Amino acid sequence: MNSSRFFGISGLSPRRSFISSLLPLVICLLLSACGGGSAGGGGVTAVTGRAIDAPISNAAISVTLFAPLNQAGAQILGTTTADSQGNFTLNISFPHSNAPVYANAQSGTTLLVSYLGPANTLATLSSLSAQSVPNLAISQVTTAALAILAATNQLSSLTPSAYATLLANSRNDILAAAAGIMAVVDANCPLPSGDPDTFSLGRVMVTGTSAVSTANGLQTLTNVSNSLGSSCSQTTLMNLLQAVSASQYWAPELDLGDVVENIVPVIPAGTYHIQGLIADTGINANNPAASGPAAAPSIFDDTAVTVSLSGAITSSDGNVSGQIYGNYVSLSLVLGGFPDSFSGKAGILPSGFLSGTGSEGFSIRTGGEDGSGNLIKFDAVLVTQKATPNWAGISGTSEDGTGCSASLIGFRMHGLGPLVGGYSYNLCALTSSISPNLTLSNGSLPGEDDFHTATPATLSSPLSMGPVTSGGTSYPFILTGGPVPLGSGSGGTLDYVMGANEMIYTANSDNASFFMNENPLDRLLENPQNSDH
């Protein structure tokens, strides 16, 4: 048994004091079937929720069929007004229909919307609790995702599968639009004239961009910045990109969406080895538009983690606890006597990723907070005891348009945070069974800086990445490479955990990250029969 955390630099980063600000609007919904609802409809479902972080006093809450509130074809199933603490309850009789259901929350010009799933599925639910699905939320992320679908006229026919596909293929576009909405709601950037509310703003920000068609040359983040204008700084958007991706409320929505299709824990009962990387963003949840210095990423390694039949996660040293519900995972990691909390997705690593008899493994991608409210990330693998990484076994279809040869993995990575926000790199990866396990080189077309579109973003030379070592111990599921200049950073280090959908970049006393859309490096299985869309 070994639980350890090693800091890449000595000491801890300075912690910024809490700064009071308007917090993001998030409404978590608790859906529980009442009166024996069935697929035929007619059963009444109690929809109970609250505005969290800061109460959203007197918010107008509604549940609609076919489309979000104020959109063509929307049919209102129920409405209520939240109390002074943001609490509300609705009783809904869902119809016998596979039409999509949406939840809506409006306060002034802030309109946030969320996709809940097909009506006939919701009508059959025995219960969905805040404990089992704590991030079934109306948020900037869900609003941004639906804005893309609104721009392509897909709202009235939306399905869980189509929504999952959008999340996998358009993460960077959703992040960009979510940051734009957040800038208005939380960072005092003015709502542009002509936009009646934040959902309409979201639609404007993605229209004509690569978010709605890869044939469009206009990048989503570029259009978000143009839509908000000079009164909203690029630094604000850079910080909000990172804040959304690191939040335990919104990070899961970039991978999971709002519909839990299978409540059986994806991780079977057994004893596992967890190995991963914790990265502080330097951003506090109370002031997500600002950032400060952050300690270098830390390794977390524990060889005695147990998952029960019910999905409870524990470790014999008490440093790991949590719950797995379907693909949704919540974790608490106790380090130095203080717990850090995380939420996100667990998915199955393809069999080729691992070596060893009977090897089985899972990727864990989460956002979270430490005890001071600082946003932190935790990417990890959870593998059977004798499993070892097989980096050479990673293969599959490259991301479109990278121009890499058949022997290489083509992908794009999109920068988040003040160091690299807006920078997108078009890369080819060579995998190997021996170190360096991953070698990155430029694709056939250069990347770009979305804020300065005439500026290409390229590696100055190929980057070799091999296992992280600390204190004489090698951690083979975590690769590192550098020094490498990326974005506005110089002499930095790039780290990657097997199966993660991001790479962590550390330079200039800060941690940034590069988010990826679906490609062979981060393509997971949601269950043994289904691939991650």
Side-chain angles (χ1 to χ4, degrees):
M1 175 179 63
N2 175 39
S3 178
S4 54
R5 184 178 187 178
F6 300 97
F7 287 92
I9 60 175
S10 60
L12 296 172
S13 63
R15 293 300 188 187
R16 294 172 289 114
S17 61
F18 285 97
I19 302 175
S20 176
S21 66
L22 176 64
L23 295 176
L25 173 62
V26 178
I27 297 178
C28 287
L29 300 179
L30 169 63
L31 299 179
S32 56
C34 305
S38 67
V44 177
T45 299
V47 182
T48 304
R50 64 187 182 99
I52 63 171
D53 284 336
I56 309 300
S57 178
N58 302 316
I61 310 299
S62 62
V63 175
T64 55
L65 193 69
F66 296 115
L69 187 69
N70 301 333
Q71 303 302 301
Q75 177 184 329
I76 296 177
L77 299 178
T79 63
T80 192
T81 301
D83 65 18
S84 61
Q85 297 302 307
N87 301 307
F88 68 88
T89 298
L90 272 170
N91 293 317
I92 303 293
S93 180
F94 291 107
H96 176 52
S97 167
N98 62 359
V101 175
Y102 299 91
N104 315 271
Q106 186 162 26
S107 178
T109 57
T110 296
L111 173 60
L112 303 181
V113 297
S114 180
Y115 171 60
L116 298 184
N120 49 13
T121 299
L122 296 175
T124 63
L125 296 174
S126 59
S127 67
L128 287 180
S129 71
Q131 289 72 38
S132 60
V133 194
N135 292 314
L136 189 63
I138 305 172
S139 76
Q140 290 85 344
V141 172
T142 57
T143 304
L146 293 181
I148 295 173
L149 295 169
T152 51
N153 299 312
Q154 297 182 64
L155 292 175
S156 63
S157 58
L158 184 58
T159 64
S161 177
Y163 190 73
T165 299
L166 174 73
L167 296 182
N169 294 334
S170 302
R171 292 185 186 113
N172 64 302
D173 300 304
I174 295 169
L175 262 176
I181 294 170
M182 231 178 144
V184 172
V185 176
D186 304 311
N188 298 319
C189 292
L191 182 71
S193 61
D195 293 321
D197 53 55
T198 51
F199 182 58
S200 296
L201 169 64
R203 183 168 181 167
V204 168
M205 290 190 297
V206 301
T207 297
T209 71
S210 56
V212 297
S213 173
T214 55
N216 294 330
L218 180 62
Q219 298 301 309
T220 305
L221 185 58
T222 302
N223 202 46
V224 167
S225 181
N226 293 342
S227 298
L228 294 176
S230 59
S231 60
C232 193
S233 74
Q234 293 173 359
T235 300
T236 293
L237 290 176
M238 292 176 185
N239 287 327
L240 292 176
L241 287 168
Q242 181 79 307
V244 172
S245 71
S247 166
Q248 61 184 321
Y249 302 110
W250 302 308
E253 294 177 335
L254 289 166
D255 245 331
L256 287 169
D258 286 340
V259 179
V260 177
E261 299 175 37
N262 182 8
I263 65 174
V264 177
V266 68
I267 303 174
T271 301
Y272 296 91
H273 174 196
I274 192 170
Q275 187 174 114
L277 201 64
I278 298 173
D280 188 347
T281 64
I283 298 173
N284 193 278
N286 285 339
N287 190 18
S291 64
S298 310
I299 298 166
F300 184 86
D301 189 85
D302 198 310
T303 59
V305 176
T306 299
V307 178
S308 72
L309 286 171
S310 63
I313 303 171
T314 57
S315 67
S316 55
D317 58 12
N319 288 333
V320 182
S321 60
Q323 182 69 39
I324 178 73
Y325 183 90
N327 292 97
Y328 178 85
V329 62
S330 59
L331 284 173
S332 176
L333 305 178
V334 180
L335 298 160
F338 299 98
D340 295 339
S341 58
F342 302 90
S343 298
K345 177 177 181 175
I348 303 172
L349 291 172
S351 58
F353 282 41
L354 301 173
S355 298
T357 304
S359 293
E360 187 174 20
F362 306 86
S363 172
I364 295 175
R365 311 164 172 174
T366 66
E369 293 183 22
D370 65 14
S372 298
N374 297 300
L375 298 175
I376 50 181
K377 297 184 174 188
F378 180 53
D379 293 324
V381 295
L382 188 72
V383 296
T384 49
Q385 295 293 329
K386 295 183 179 181
T388 58
N390 178 28
W391 290 96
I394 299 175
S395 63
T397 304
S398 294
E399 190 175 347
D400 291 341
T402 54
C404 301
S405 66
S407 61
L408 302 177
I409 295 171
F411 69 100
R412 295 181 182 86
M413 61 181 196
H414 308 273
L416 316 176
L419 276 180
V420 298
Y423 287 88
S424 297
Y425 288 82
N426 186 23
L427 301 174
C428 302
L430 173 67
T431 61
S432 172
S433 59
I434 59 175
S435 185
N437 303 103
L438 201 62
T439 301
L440 306 183
S441 58
N442 294 309
S444 61
L445 297 175
E448 65 179 8
D449 177 357
D450 289 346
F451 292 122
H452 309 93
T453 54
T455 304
T458 58
L459 295 176
S460 57
S461 61
L463 177 64
S464 298
M465 303 179 71
V468 168
T469 59
S470 182
T473 301
S474 176
Y475 298 88
F477 288 99
I478 309 170
L479 301 183
T480 188
V484 57
L486 296 172
S488 60
S490 59
T493 300
L494 192 67
D495 297 317
Y496 181 63
V497 179
M498 176 175 276
N501 58 5
E502 64 181 347
M503 295 189 180
I504 304 298
Y505 181 60
T506 302
N508 306 86
S509 300
D510 199 1
N511 297 322
S513 58
F514 285 96
F515 223 54
M516 298 185 290
N517 293 324
E518 184 156 290
N519 68 80
L521 290 171
D522 72 347
R523 189 170 291 136
L524 306 178
L525 303 176
E526 292 198 347
N527 57 61
Q529 291 77 40
N530 282 320
S531 64
D532 176 47
H533 301 289

